[in-house]
Amino acid sequence: MSQKRPTIIAGNWKMHKTIEEGKQFLSELIESVREVGHQVYLAVPFTAIQPLSELASNSNIVIGAQNMNDASEGAFTGEIAGRMLTEAGARFVLLGHSERRYIFGEGSGFVNRKVKRAFADRLQPIVCVGETKHEREQGIAEEVLKNQLLNSLEGLTSEQMESAIVAYEPVWAIGTGLTATSKEAEEMHHFCRRLIAEKWGEATAEKVPILYGGSVKPENTRELLKQPNIDGVLVGGASLGFESFLQIVNYQNTVCR
Ligand code: PGA
């Protein structure tokens, strides 16, 4: 099943790395991943997008952003527009990351407008969804996921859906060292794919890569990626260290715990 979809290893640097630090990391990474068969994405700070996109231009590494506004321009102090990111060289954008949802209060309606703007600005959206620990304990994880996913992707055409990426990131696993087991993650990925199939049809659902995120490490990547509905990983903390990220990128050769 997953042969139809690309494997994507994505790093999310969050608010880490200056331009110089990013350049050093990326130069080494480019050399180390030339022969890797799958796609490597890096969501970097805004200031690093242009220099890193230039550096990555002849490589198999794709540079993107971590957020954007839903407007094309305007009086929104401190915000950034999709077309500014495209111009700087970004090719994708993370939208609806749980840190945006829970720290900055962004709801799925806002995320949905950003997703539409991203398509208009030629950016591939990686749309993040995931339940909190409390929601999981209350037994409403699927309901939360359904609401976030369908509301964030509302109104997309099948064509748009097929070029989007979904990331399932349980909030209780982000930066906590707790990872969903591969079985738990697979169940949720399967659930997300069913939701997409119900709304956009089976053929479309089979094409959408669904990434897992939440304390991904070199030791658990291979097991996660063995699951039929897990098409890649979105890595925060472990994408900051060169060695750990490289081991994740080379997950086929990394020893599982
Ligand atoms: P983590 O972050 O790998 O540090 O848990 C993942 C994410 O927030 O995308």
Side-chain angles (χ1 to χ4, degrees), residues 193-223:
R193 201 174 305 286
R194 298 287 16 106
L195 290 172
I196 298 169
E198 277 164 30
K199 184 123 188 208
W200 286 274
E202 201 69 51
T204 294
E206 284 302 312
K207 289 185 187 150
V208 181
I210 306 180
L211 316 185
Y212 170 79
S215 296
V216 171
K217 302 180 273 279
E219 298 81 7
N220 57 23
T221 306
R222 192 160 66 171
E223 196 51 39

Side-chain angles (χ1 to χ4, degrees), residues 19 84 111 174 183 243:
I19 296 173
M84 298 169 183
V111 174
I174 295 181
K183 185 169 170 285
E243 283 306 323

